[in-house]
Amino acid sequence: MPVWSAMARPDPNPFETFVSKLRDQLSDLSTLQTLNVTSHDSEALALFHQLHNALSLGQVSTQMNEIRDFLAGEEECLQKLKQERHALTALNSRMQFALSHLPKRLPVKECTDSPLEPSTATPNTAPAAKPSADKSAKPKVKPKVVDALALITVKEFESIPSYLRGRINYDALNEKISQFNSALEHKYKIVATNGKKLNRMQQDLYWRYREEETAETKGRPFITDDDLKEFAQWGSDPNSRRYLTIFRHCGRIQEVRTGKLVRYVMQL
């Protein structure tokens, strides 16, 4: 019986099986030739004919073709597995990317009409008119009393000479700018108020402000040392004076002197 005809299912490694069988048969044939089998030994002759039939060229060719077909099928299956593996790897990468980039809060579409409940509006019923907003009504904006000094920028702060800046830091300098602006606002709020609405003390301040104005300060906001002390708790020590010198160096204010009175005029 041929070797491959007795196989009920495909051998996982048919090439090695074929080589092993062929090696065993060649070994039996070599043994027969060594023993110099005579024609009277029927068992030996039967074994010899069986080996001769098994080793016929036609059967060997058939077995080799079967091996080639098996290997070709295995190669095709291997290629398909590689393609599926590549597709699964790409899919896994996309899923991992999507998982790591999920938004914290996903948008939810609100459903206004339930599909299970019929609409209560009839075809002849007009939709309710929405109350129209009064476009002419505008929010009240508080009028600006006076312009304010701009804060010192980092570039300006770094350009201040060290002998002038001393130990003053950037935040402290801009805090003094805010205090200066607060004193300006307090002063010009009184100036802009109707005299009949001012109390006695505010009226005294009002007329003092008017007397301090000069032709050089006309139309230009200014404050004095007394205003800084009253509205910004500004001291008269040398360190407080240094802030005003820095303001003047940075082009925020200009000093206008008349006798002992010094006016710190905004540079517009």
Side-chain angles (χ1 to χ4, degrees):
M1 175 183 293
V3 178
W4 292 93
S5 61
M7 297 180 61
R9 63 179 61 184
D11 195 294
N13 202 338
F15 183 74
E16 291 184 1
T17 302
F18 170 74
V19 172
S20 177
K21 294 290 184 178
L22 183 62
R23 186 182 296 110
D24 293 341
Q25 292 173 356
L26 290 175
S27 177
D28 293 341
L29 183 59
S30 177
T31 301
L32 290 176
Q33 291 178 346
T34 302
L35 295 176
N36 194 11
V37 181
T38 61
S39 59
H40 302 286
D41 191 345
S42 59
E43 294 181 2
L45 288 175
L47 179 60
F48 180 80
H49 289 301
Q50 183 179 355
L51 290 174
H52 179 268
N53 294 332
L55 294 176
S56 63
L57 293 179
Q59 291 182 356
V60 171
S61 177
T62 301
Q63 293 175 7
M64 291 301 296
N65 290 332
E66 291 178 358
I67 292 174
R68 291 191 187 97
D69 294 340
F70 175 79
L71 292 178
E74 292 296 314
E75 181 68 22
E76 183 179 358
C77 182
L78 181 61
Q79 292 298 327
K80 291 181 179 179
L81 289 176
K82 287 181 178 180
Q83 293 176 0
E84 292 180 2
R85 179 182 178 184
H86 179 73
L88 289 175
T89 302
L91 178 61
N92 181 63
S93 299
R94 292 195 296 269
M95 294 298 293
Q96 291 293 335
F97 179 83
L99 184 62
S100 60
H101 290 78
L102 282 177
K104 294 181 180 180
R105 302 181 68 179
L106 295 175
V108 179
K109 184 178 180 180
E110 297 183 359
C111 183
T112 55
D113 296 329
S114 175
L116 300 179
E117 298 179 0
S119 176
T120 56
T122 59
N124 298 328
T125 303
K130 296 182 179 179
S132 59
D134 187 4
K135 297 182 179 179
S136 60
K138 296 182 180 179
K140 295 183 178 180
V141 179
K142 188 177 180 180
K144 193 173 184 181
V145 177
V146 67
D147 292 331
L149 296 184
L151 297 177
I152 303 296
T153 64
V154 176
K155 186 176 181 180
E156 287 177 320
F157 180 77
E158 293 175 349
S159 67
I160 300 172
S162 57
Y163 72 87
L164 182 60
R165 183 172 56 192
R167 296 184 178 180
I168 296 175
N169 59 41
Y170 179 75
D171 293 332
L173 184 59
N174 277 324
E175 178 63 26
K176 286 295 182 180
I177 287 278
S178 299
Q179 293 178 6
F180 189 96
N181 289 332
S182 178
L184 269 174
E185 185 176 2
H186 276 87
K187 173 185 175 179
Y188 283 92
K189 188 180 292 184
I190 295 175
V191 173
T193 305
N194 189 343
K196 295 181 180 180
K197 297 181 180 180
L198 298 175
N199 58 34
R200 181 63 180 272
M201 185 178 66
Q202 290 175 337
Q203 288 180 1
D204 292 341
L205 290 174
Y206 177 86
W207 292 112
R208 194 192 82 188
Y209 297 152
R210 291 301 187 188
E211 291 174 357
E212 291 173 349
E213 292 180 357
T214 63
E216 195 172 355
T217 63
K218 186 177 181 180
R220 301 171 64 190
F222 70 91
I223 54 177
T224 62
D225 289 318
D226 292 337
D227 299 327
L228 290 172
K229 291 177 185 178
E230 186 171 358
F231 299 121
Q233 290 78 45
W234 203 295
S236 57
D237 56 289
N239 194 45
S240 298
R241 295 286 305 171
R242 179 176 292 179
Y243 285 105
L244 296 170
T245 305
I246 294 176
F247 295 170
R248 188 175 68 250
H249 172 80
C250 294
R252 296 297 189 274
I253 63 173
Q254 176 188 0
E255 291 185 4
V256 176
R257 295 175 180 268
T258 303
K260 295 182 179 180
L261 183 62
V262 181
R263 303 167 181 83
Y264 305 106
V265 186
M266 286 185 60
Q267 290 279 55
L268 301 177

